[in-house]
Amino acid sequence: MSFMKGDLISKTRKLVKGLAMAEPIWLKAMEQSPPATFPRAAGKIPTITFPEDVYVKKFYKKYPDSKYHDAIKISAFDPPPSRIYGLRVLELKEQGVSEEQALAVADMEYLAEKKAKKKAYARLKQIARLEGKRLPPNPYPSPVKEIQAEERAYVRRRFHDPKMLEIIERQKAEAKERFGRSDW
């Protein structure tokens, strides 16, 4: 039915009218209350841009590692550091500061905030060690370590799952048979 134009109801009507198929039970009900039709965009859909997007791109050019360290969390209420940076530059420009100076101030504020968070975390770790408590979570975790933490359960399961162990034993037997070695 892909060669015919129209929606499902009109295509079905054409097939029934041309005696290509029997009238389905649902056709009368669908004709009485047809499904909602949504408007389609005429042509290309325009991209949504914000005024700070220019500065967000400059931020990522200057700090490419921040894409990994300051990951964008969709469900978070706080905007990512790149967006804060861009908004701060716009705010400073509105106050009459030149673009170069606004970028320099925003850079300095970003680096100071990052340094303050790291320093605060170091102090929290020190306090936790003195009190003998568990260490708090790192506000700037390594993205590689986060991925490894997610995969750790799967790696452990690989060594303890009976099905996996059976496959490993079978592969060892095949290797022993094929190569005649017993140290596999």
Side-chain angles (χ1 to χ4, degrees):
M1 286 199 301
S2 63
F3 60 89
M4 291 192 291
K5 291 186 177 181
D7 59 351
L8 179 66
I9 296 174
S10 62
K11 288 179 181 182
T12 309
R13 264 194 230 120
K14 288 177 186 176
L15 289 172
V16 169
K17 197 174 186 180
L19 301 174
M21 70 181 283
E23 184 175 333
I25 300 168
W26 52 264
L27 186 62
K28 284 183 183 176
M30 290 292 280
E31 286 174 339
Q32 289 174 357
S33 60
T37 55
F38 298 101
R40 294 187 177 224
K44 188 177 179 185
I45 299 173
T47 57
I48 299 171
T49 57
F50 294 107
E52 70 267 15
D53 284 350
V54 175
Y55 302 111
V56 169
K57 287 178 184 174
K58 287 183 180 181
F59 176 84
Y60 283 127
K61 280 184 182 175
K62 190 164 191 171
Y63 305 106
D65 290 342
S66 69
K67 286 182 182 178
Y68 309 109
H69 293 294
D70 305 321
I72 297 171
K73 294 178 177 62
I74 303 291
S75 62
F77 290 106
D78 299 326
S82 59
R83 191 75 40 199
I84 293 171
Y85 176 89
L87 290 169
R88 181 67 177 141
V89 170
L90 285 178
E91 180 184 326
L92 290 170
K93 282 182 66 178
E94 285 176 3
Q95 294 174 0
V97 179
S98 70
E99 185 174 348
E100 293 171 7
Q101 288 177 334
L103 288 169
V105 169
D107 283 337
M108 186 177 64
E109 288 175 357
Y110 169 71
L111 293 173
E113 181 184 347
K114 194 170 180 178
K115 189 175 182 180
K117 282 186 180 180
K118 285 186 178 185
K119 194 173 185 179
Y121 178 65
R123 180 68 181 140
L124 283 174
K125 282 194 329 189
Q126 186 181 25
I127 292 170
R129 284 192 188 110
L130 290 173
E131 294 177 355
K133 294 182 180 177
R134 285 181 75 184
L135 298 178
N138 189 353
Y140 282 104
S142 166
V144 173
K145 288 183 181 177
E146 282 185 348
I147 293 169
Q148 287 174 345
E150 290 174 8
E151 293 176 346
R152 195 168 292 130
Y154 300 111
V155 172
R156 285 189 184 136
R157 189 179 76 196
R158 180 179 69 190
F159 294 113
H160 301 292
D161 187 16
K163 290 180 182 177
M164 291 290 188
L165 294 174
E166 182 182 319
I167 292 170
I168 292 170
E169 290 302 320
R170 198 176 327 130
Q171 287 179 342
K172 283 182 181 179
E174 287 174 8
K176 187 177 180 183
E177 223 176 75
R178 192 176 303 149
F179 301 113
R181 293 178 61 176
S182 60
D183 60 340
W184 291 76

